[in-house]
Amino acid sequence: MKKIAPDWLKKAVFYEIYPSSFFDSNGDGIGDLPGIIAKLDYLVDLGVNAVWLNPCFASTFADGGYDISDFRQVAPRYGTNDDLLKLFAEAKKRDIRICLDMVAGHTSTEHAWFKASARPEKNEYSNYYIWNNSWLESTGGLQMISGMAERDGSFMVNYFSVQPALNYGFANPDPAFPWQLPVDHPDVLKVREELKNNMRFWLDLGASGFRCDLAPSLIKKDPGKVATMALWREIREMFDAEYPEAVLIAEWAYAPQALKAGFHCDFLLHCGTPGYTTLFRNEPERDLWRGIDKSAFYEKDGNDYTVKNFHSYFDAAGLGDAEFFFKTYLDHYERTREDGFISIPTGDHDMTRISDFRSEQDLACVFAFILTMPGVPFIYYGDEIGMKNIPGLVSKEGGYTRTQARTPMQWDGSENKGFSTAPAEKLYLPVDKRPGAPDLAEQQGRPDSLWHKVQELLKIRQTLPALQADGGLKLLLADYPLVYLRSKGEETFVIVIQPAAREWRCEVELPFAAAELSPVLAGNINAGIADGKMCFSGGGTQYGIWQIKR
Ligand code: GLC
Ligand code: CA
């Protein structure tokens, strides 16, 4: 039987670092790799054991580093390749795995492959990208750019106009457009080998895996993603044969495809942003915390935005619908349990931060959920202290509205919040100086802070295998509160989360005749057993974990 994942992944909790904004070690205003190395002990203290690093490679930075000009070279502003190797080594000493970001689908127009491909004379890179045959030819319905090269043709892009799509071929090439090459054309198979070799390059040097950017997009005109899934399965075979301890993490946002395609994890990206492809295929009303009921809208008032008609489940108002979420989640979970893990992130560099409209206690409930669910959780830097969006910033390096969630980590209360010694106007992005902006030092000094609660939850997850990636899940109640079981072997735990700020009481069936509920973390919730049922009650915005003992 195939092994679902390397053992370390089952215990992994990831921390996503956007390198420009984490910690600046040399005072130039931009975060860097030595800065991350300097903060590794912080990650140990917090209790995470894996890092996803956004792209740190040579780039034109028109899309925050997702426009790569050399896959094998660290961007000078972040340091050198040696710094990255040092990060691998220092992280390893602390039992932390470092996963990189593999932008498989496109490069920067400054990449040497693209420059060669854009040449008018035919050469070995001509077919590395998707070009039609004449600058005047119709585009075949694809997003094509013309007028930027001497080559007589237009090239396809995946995202911004400086991100030409690498050519992995077309599952169903249109005979009217002979430049649409089939997936087994020798030229496009060469691109596939390049992808594998770029992965081998960093895996050989100590990376523990990759988050794979826009993973479902590689093969064009591929309805049902059949050909794209076969491509990734081939890469998984390479991992199993050559790098069995390394992991593949998809930005696919549809586990039933991604995990069957060989990924070890796939993100549940239910970010609720209208127009964004989510786990729920643009059904943001199923979102638990960002999203928004169908009637929600943003209202702009000067530089501030307010969301109106916002009813996500984790709001203190208690007007959301967890059942709706679980219907889809459990369907995906049941269909993929034997294949891999669903990753629930607190946020990422593309979404608004989770903290909008929430108190620390509201956020603690969100963390209690994410850190007790199956799969592999991801914490976006700064979410552990409830860092806030800074709306209204001018777009930085292609961030647009995403810029608001990419501001520097708030380490302490000093000038620049401890991020950098550069003058404030030189910082990559401004730090949050608004009253009430959280900082780590303050929260570490306050025992009831969000940071301490996150740390406590992480410790509990690390010590209880039932709560980890492959522990069983059984939903008992998807209402206010939310009640579910996690189990492994003989051990069963019940988790109760009440995000609504109101008094409550509930009764749920016991999974087996039990003698007692033994608290792991009881908070202010009363728990007991009566008439063969578990009874819980308490005030609002609470969570707790109990072991059910026979
Ligand atoms: C992914 C990245 C995003 C980037 C895009 C294009 O969605 O997360 O930041 O802009 O791909 O590479
Ligand atoms: Ca720096």
Side-chain angles (χ1 to χ4, degrees):
M1 214 192 100
K2 112 178 162 198
K3 200 172 165 190
I4 175 165
D7 287 335
W8 68 266
L9 191 64
K10 298 179 188 164
K11 298 192 201 79
V13 177
F14 274 80
Y15 190 83
E16 179 191 348
I17 295 179
Y18 191 73
S20 297
S21 297
F22 196 55
F23 185 58
D24 172 21
S25 72
N26 61 355
D28 67 356
I30 303 185
D32 45 53
L33 294 176
I36 298 172
I37 295 169
K39 295 296 185 183
L40 284 171
D41 287 332
Y42 166 66
L43 300 185
V44 174
D45 196 15
L46 175 63
V48 296
N49 50 13
V51 167
W52 156 29
L53 201 56
N54 291 113
C56 58
F57 310 110
S59 170
T60 28
F61 290 101
D63 183 19
Y66 284 89
D67 45 326
I68 292 173
S69 49
D70 186 341
F71 288 102
R72 301 191 183 188
Q73 195 63 50
V74 164
R77 74 191 212 182
Y78 296 140
T80 61
N81 281 19
D82 280 345
D83 289 325
L84 187 49
L85 300 199
K86 191 167 167 216
L87 173 61
F88 294 152
E90 289 297 320
K92 191 168 180 192
K93 282 187 201 160
R94 294 164 175 83
D95 257 327
I96 293 179
R97 314 267 168 165
I98 306 286
C99 290
L100 302 175
D101 208 315
M102 180 48 69
V103 185
H106 48 269
T107 67
S108 159
T109 44
E110 290 300 307
H111 194 289
W113 297 341
F114 185 77
K115 288 187 181 165
S117 190
R119 301 286 312 144
E121 64 281 355
K122 189 148 177 58
N123 62 65
E124 66 168 304
Y125 297 101
S126 296
N127 281 336
Y128 265 47
Y129 298 84
I130 299 167
W131 293 84
N132 65 12
N133 286 329
S134 149
W135 66 283
L136 280 173
E137 190 183 323
S138 110
T139 63
L142 304 173
Q143 195 192 348
M144 310 286 279
I145 305 287
S146 29
M148 280 174 66
E150 289 169 1
R151 177 171 172 167
D152 185 12
S154 310
F155 61 91
M156 181 179 175
V157 296
N158 273 344
Y159 207 68
F160 294 151
S161 51
V162 293
Q163 288 165 305
L166 283 162
N167 193 357
Y168 296 93
F170 286 71
N172 297 291
D174 184 338
F177 301 107
W179 45 267
Q180 298 188 357
L181 302 180
V183 291
D184 57 355
H185 188 285
D187 290 358
V188 308
L189 289 177
K190 257 167 59 187
V191 176
R192 203 182 275 212
E193 287 312 305
E194 296 276 15
L195 166 61
K196 289 188 194 163
N197 288 334
N198 282 334
M199 290 180 143
R200 288 186 176 109
F201 179 83
W202 289 113
L203 293 170
D204 287 339
L205 292 175
S208 290
F210 297 95
R211 174 266 191 185
C212 300
D213 188 64
L214 296 179
S217 74
L218 298 196
I219 289 171
K220 309 304 179 196
K221 296 218 173 136
D222 183 20
K225 301 291 164 195
V226 179
T228 308
M229 288 168 72
L231 182 156
W232 283 112
R233 257 195 306 271
E234 190 182 307
I235 290 178
R236 171 63 182 267
E237 276 160 29
M238 166 189 132
F239 271 58
D240 286 347
E242 299 171 34
Y243 306 97
E245 282 298 296
V247 298
L248 284 163
I249 303 156
E251 185 201 27
W252 197 303
Y254 192 56
Q257 284 177 350
L259 301 181
K260 306 270 178 214
F263 282 96
H264 298 91
C265 312
D266 181 36
F267 283 111
L268 183 158
L269 294 179
H270 60 319
C271 52
T273 310
Y276 195 101
T277 311
T278 71
L279 167 74
F280 302 118
R281 302 277 150 192
N282 291 319
E283 293 173 21
E285 68 276 17
R286 293 187 192 224
D287 192 304
L288 287 182
W289 41 79
R290 257 176 216 84
I292 318 187
D293 112 346
K294 263 195 181 125
S295 58
F297 58 95
Y298 285 90
E299 202 168 76
K300 197 171 179 189
D301 172 19
N303 272 342
D304 280 340
Y305 292 81
T306 355
V307 172
K308 302 283 165 125
N309 293 0
F310 185 96
H311 296 315
S312 78
Y313 178 74
F314 278 93
D315 284 349
L319 296 171
D321 186 347
E323 211 176 320
F324 206 33
F325 167 89
F326 271 102
K327 223 171 128 188
T328 305
Y329 177 87
L330 288 175
D331 172 48
H332 291 193
Y333 171 75
E334 293 300 340
R335 279 154 70 196
T336 58
R337 299 178 57 170
E338 307 293 319
D339 303 306
F341 303 126
I342 297 175
S343 283
I344 309 185
T346 61
D348 74 15
H349 61 291
D350 294 330
M351 300 185 213
T352 53
R353 284 196 185 265
I354 202 170
S355 57
D356 268 357
F357 323 110
R358 298 214 160 81
S359 69
E360 280 187 42
Q361 188 59 20
D362 296 348
L363 290 170
C365 286
V366 174
F367 274 93
F369 173 71
I370 293 180
L371 296 176
T372 58
M373 282 288 281
V376 180
F378 279 67
I379 299 174
Y380 184 48
Y381 80 93
D383 280 349
E384 73 275 28
I385 54 169
M387 266 175 63
K388 296 178 177 22
N389 297 298
I390 308 187
L393 292 174
V394 172
S395 175
K396 180 79 175 184
E397 298 183 339
Y400 297 96
T401 51
R402 303 176 295 181
T403 307
Q404 64 181 316
R406 297 179 178 182
T407 60
M409 175 69 182
Q410 293 149 210
W411 296 101
D412 59 39
S414 67
E415 182 71 12
N416 296 339
K417 304 275 173 188
F419 161 67
S420 168
T421 56
E425 67 279 5
K426 284 216 144 161
L427 300 185
Y428 177 73
L429 281 168
V431 295
D432 190 353
K433 289 191 170 164
R434 296 169 297 184
D439 73 67
L440 177 68
E442 187 278 327
Q443 291 207 9
Q444 286 185 323
R446 177 162 52 87
D448 70 342
S449 69
L450 175 62
W451 189 84
H452 281 287
K453 288 175 182 153
V454 173
Q455 188 198 40
E456 179 179 48
L457 286 161
L458 282 164
K459 240 184 226 142
I460 291 171
R461 186 174 173 108
Q462 296 306 356
T463 47
L464 301 178
L467 298 189
Q468 294 168 5
D470 62 346
L473 168 72
K474 186 161 190 261
L475 180 67
L476 298 183
L477 186 64
D479 197 335
Y480 288 100
L482 184 61
V483 185
Y484 49 94
L485 303 177
R486 298 294 317 279
S487 57
K488 189 158 209 181
E490 288 299 293
E491 301 206 315
T492 301
F493 296 84
V494 58
I495 290 110
V496 179
I497 304 176
Q498 173 57 282
R502 58 182 180 237
E503 302 261 315
W504 58 281
R505 194 194 133 75
C506 78
E507 285 185 359
V508 282
E509 295 296 328
L510 273 165
F512 44 76
E516 61 169 317
L517 289 178
S518 155
V520 176
L521 175 75
N524 290 327
I525 298 177
N526 307 309
I529 295 177
D531 301 330
K533 288 190 171 160
M534 296 184 274
C535 312
F536 301 98
S537 64
T541 329
Q542 294 291 340
Y543 53 90
I545 305 171
W546 294 261
Q547 183 167 8
I548 308 178
K549 291 203 167 145
R550 280 172 209 273

